[in-house]
Amino acid sequence: METTSLRAVIVDDEKNSCDIIQLMLQQYSPEIEIAGTADSCELGVTVIRRFHPQLVFLDLELRDGMGISILEKVQDENFEVIFVTAYEKKFLSAIRFSDLQIILKPADKHSLLKAIDKAKENRLLKK
């Protein structure tokens, strides 16, 4: 798999979940640089537009709406999405936006690394 760095953004309104993802990325995928975080749909759009990430970790349900609504507002950006959710049933609505890269909370090392590998593979296929 490619070893070049990837710029990422985490959009999650649960600080604990955001912190866990950041810590696991530092430990297991140091090639992924967290450029920014957001805890709402509105801020998520702003952070994605500001940092132009190649990878977005996106909670499906945020305090001000559904995370998927962010994707509708930033369709012109080019990034892979890894959905993060505590709600198994709600992830089905995310399928049309992704190759089903979903991490169920609490995130674990295996799920995180598998989703990252798939995102990297998708980026390579798009090139």
Side-chain angles (χ1 to χ4, degrees), residues 12-13 59-63 65-67 84-85 87 90 105:
D12 195 326
D13 60 354
D59 190 358
L60 284 176
E61 194 166 331
L62 299 162
R63 60 187 159 100
M66 297 300 291
V84 182
T85 185
Y87 306 100
K90 295 200 178 187
K105 293 178 184 177

Side-chain angles (χ1 to χ4, degrees), residues 9-32:
V9 165
I10 301 172
V11 182
D12 195 326
D13 60 354
E14 294 180 32
K15 184 176 178 349
N16 188 43
S17 177
C18 189
D19 291 346
I20 288 170
I21 291 171
Q22 287 187 69
L23 286 171
M24 287 196 309
L25 289 173
Q26 288 171 359
Q27 187 170 5
Y28 304 116
S29 291
E31 76 279 7
I32 297 179

